[in-house]
């Protein structure tokens, strides 16, 4: 069976990373961390989603990336519920709103991917509780990661906690992209 990226043989070989590939992937992650740090200092109330996305894209290029892993997603307020939102050039950030950023760059042929959620200046108690629940669910999933554990079992750790808290109808995607 042929896949999007090539043959099953190629996919199988690329699934296991050598030391050089791991180092490249780590550097791509370092670039993501650096750009996210710059974004957190740059973003201000009143900016548009598009302004922030353009800043991210330019910072990736300034860091030496050869491109973007995908179109940068920046969402404010209710737009953060749309996992494939296109940044608006009119939607501005307001105090207390959720900010979701999904970004990644291409570094030496390997793609990075990072999603972060935070709030502008303040957060209400319900938003804080849900944010903490998701963080706890991710940490629970991370705690079982080791060679041989199936991806679906890692995902289930987070998914089950979210379900128990009564938010399963809002958990629409799998946990991570299972790189490697």
């Amino acid at each position: 069976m042929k896949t999007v990226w090539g043959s099953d043989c190629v996919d199988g070989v690329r699934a296991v990373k050598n030391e050089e590939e791991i180092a490249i992937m780590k550097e791509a992650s370092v670039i993501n961390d650096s750009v996210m740090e710059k974004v957190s200092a740059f973003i201000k109330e009143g900016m548009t989603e598009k302004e922030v996305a353009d800043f991210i894209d330019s910072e990736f290029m300034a860091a030496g990336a050869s491109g973007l892993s995908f179109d940068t997603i920046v969402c404010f307020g209710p737009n953060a519920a749309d996992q494939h939102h296109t940044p608006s050039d009119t939607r501005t950030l307001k105090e207390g709103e959720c900010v979701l950023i999904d970004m990644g760059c291409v570094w030496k042929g390997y793609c990075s991917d990072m999603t972060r959620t935070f709030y502008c200046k303040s957060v209400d108690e319900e938003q804080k509780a849900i944010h903490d629940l998701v963080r706890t669910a991710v940490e629970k999933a991370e705690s079982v990661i080791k060679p041989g554990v199936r991806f679906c079992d890692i995902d289930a750790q987070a998914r089950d906690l979210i379900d128990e808290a009564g938010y399963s109808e809002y958990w629409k995607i799998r946990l991570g992209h299972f790189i490697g």
Side-chain angles (χ1 to χ4, degrees):
M1 176 177 178
K2 194 149 176 108
T3 65
V4 174
W5 300 108
S7 70
D8 285 340
C9 179
V10 171
D11 289 347
V13 171
R14 287 187 53 90
V16 178
K17 306 296 187 238
N18 64 34
E19 292 302 316
E20 180 183 8
E21 291 171 307
I22 291 168
I24 292 168
M25 292 170 69
K26 285 181 177 180
E27 182 59 26
S29 182
V30 167
I31 293 169
N32 262 358
D33 289 342
S34 173
V35 171
M36 184 59 77
E37 191 173 312
K38 290 176 182 177
V39 171
S40 66
F42 171 79
I43 195 168
K44 303 279 185 275
E45 187 177 3
M47 289 183 165
T48 68
E49 295 169 336
K50 182 84 168 86
E51 282 177 289
V52 177
D54 289 347
F55 176 81
I56 291 168
D57 295 351
S58 69
E59 288 299 316
F60 276 137
M61 298 303 109
S66 61
L68 304 174
S69 299
F70 49 88
D71 291 339
T72 300
I73 300 170
V74 176
C75 316
F76 301 155
N79 292 342
D82 177 2
Q83 61 192 358
H84 295 113
H85 177 70
T86 300
S88 165
D89 58 4
T90 58
R91 178 62 165 88
T92 59
L93 180 59
K94 297 168 188 62
E95 181 175 348
E97 286 191 317
C98 175
V99 176
L100 183 139
I101 298 175
D102 193 359
M103 62 187 218
C105 70
V106 179
W107 178 255
K108 296 186 179 179
Y110 285 81
C111 295
S112 63
D113 186 353
M114 173 189 284
T115 304
R116 295 292 181 266
T117 304
F118 52 94
Y119 293 86
C120 179
K121 294 185 178 180
S122 64
V123 60
D124 70 34
E125 287 305 312
E126 182 182 21
Q127 290 169 324
K128 183 181 182 316
I130 293 169
H131 191 272
D132 289 346
L133 172 66
V134 172
R135 186 183 62 249
T136 301
V138 169
E139 289 169 351
K140 185 176 179 188
E142 288 174 344
S143 74
V144 301
I145 295 173
K146 65 181 179 184
V149 176
R150 298 178 314 164
F151 295 139
C152 62
D153 295 332
I154 296 167
D155 180 78
Q157 294 296 310
R159 187 171 302 280
D160 291 350
L161 190 64
I162 300 288
D163 290 349
E164 289 168 16
Y167 291 99
S168 58
E169 70 181 285
Y170 305 106
W171 188 263
K172 303 289 185 192
I173 60 173
R174 289 234 173 252
L175 186 69
H177 294 284
F178 306 123
I179 295 173

